[in-house]
């Protein structure tokens, strides 16, 4: 019999937490993700079937157990706690039926939350995204170091970075190196 163990995007059994100066970089592994794309002419019907209103360009919405952020024209990522919504994509597909295409994304992405007083300084070294102008609930698709990523402003001094899982080690290295450069 196989004895499989889930590993974090960084290849460990437990999520990594690094504190450097005033910054804390935390590997987040308890989130389920599903992408959703409205089908032609189905936007209004889709919106009526979902448990939360879909956000506008560059924004996020949270309602109940679900959050959503805009990823492209008529496309969003839905986020929920993995323990309660392990089969998130299936749940969402049941809700929306033929109004949208839904794809499981949980293991395709990594997420690092960065918090602390030097948040702006860190991201100004890594990205051209206007982090100082971002407010709570803003999301930007751009680059961090040389990697494509979403930057999601969670609070005044708290940012989530979501990138392809295959780049987790490179992203983590970039975050750590930048944090050490300002510590």
């Amino acid at each position: 019999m196989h004895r499989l163990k889930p590993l974090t995007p960084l290849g460990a059994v437990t999520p990594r937490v690094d504190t450097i100066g005033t910054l804390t970089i935390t590997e987040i592994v308890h989130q389920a993700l599903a992408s959703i794309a409205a089908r032609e002419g189905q936007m209004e019907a889709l919106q009526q079937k979902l448990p939360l209103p879909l956000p506008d360009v560059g924004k996020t919405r949270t309602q109940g157990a679900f959050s959503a952020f805009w990823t492209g024209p008529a496309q969003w990522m839905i986020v929920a706690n993995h323990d309660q919504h392990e089969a998130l994509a299936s749940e969402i597909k049941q809700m929306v039926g033929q109004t949208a295409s839904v794809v499981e994304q949980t293991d395709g992405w990594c997420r690092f939350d960065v918090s602390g007083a030097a948040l702006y300084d860190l991201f100004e070294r890594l990205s051209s995204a206007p982090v100082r102008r971002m407010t709570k609930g803003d999301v930007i698709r751009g680059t961090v170091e040389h990697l494509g990523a979403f930057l999601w402003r969670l609070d005044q001094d708290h940012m989530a970075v979501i990138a392809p899982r295959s780049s987790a080690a490179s992203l983590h290295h970039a975050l750590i190196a930048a944090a050490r450069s300002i510590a």
Side-chain angles (χ1 to χ4, degrees):
M1 165 110 7
H2 295 289
R3 296 193 179 154
L4 303 175
K5 283 187 193 176
L7 297 177
T8 72
L10 289 176
V13 175
T14 58
R16 176 102 180 240
V17 178
D18 298 282
T19 300
I20 300 167
T22 65
L23 292 167
T24 300
I25 301 165
T26 307
E27 185 180 21
I28 303 296
V29 297
H30 63 277
Q31 300 288 290
L33 300 168
S35 64
I36 186 168
R39 293 190 177 159
E40 182 87 26
Q42 296 295 311
M43 190 60 204
E44 188 175 320
L46 169 63
Q47 185 61 70
Q48 293 173 2
K49 293 176 181 264
L50 285 171
L52 76 163
L54 292 169
D56 291 330
V57 175
K59 298 293 181 186
T60 61
R61 288 265 174 87
T62 299
Q63 187 165 316
F66 301 97
S67 293
F69 62 89
W70 182 87
T71 59
Q75 299 174 24
W76 299 266
M77 189 77 74
I78 308 291
V79 183
N81 183 292
H82 188 270
D83 291 341
Q84 283 82 41
H85 300 279
E86 183 177 356
L88 179 63
S90 294
E91 289 177 48
I92 298 295
K93 185 61 182 167
Q94 287 294 320
M95 290 177 205
V96 303
Q98 296 300 310
T99 63
S101 297
V102 180
V103 179
E104 171 63 41
Q105 298 288 331
T106 302
D107 289 329
W109 297 86
C110 67
R111 174 176 162 178
F112 293 96
D113 281 12
V114 182
S115 59
L119 185 76
Y120 298 131
D121 296 333
L122 176 101
F123 283 103
E124 286 174 345
R125 284 170 169 72
L126 294 172
S127 178
S128 62
V131 293
R132 289 188 190 271
R133 291 194 313 253
M134 290 176 72
T135 60
K136 182 178 179 178
D138 286 352
V139 66
I140 291 177
R141 185 176 200 159
T143 58
V144 174
E145 189 70 358
H146 62 284
L147 306 165
F150 292 98
L151 293 172
W152 179 359
R153 187 62 173 272
L154 299 170
D155 213 338
Q156 177 62 28
D157 64 350
H158 192 178
M159 183 88 70
V161 182
I162 301 168
R165 185 182 179 107
S166 61
S167 62
S170 295
L171 176 59
H172 182 257
H173 173 76
L175 292 168
I176 295 296
R180 286 183 178 145
S181 77
I182 56 178

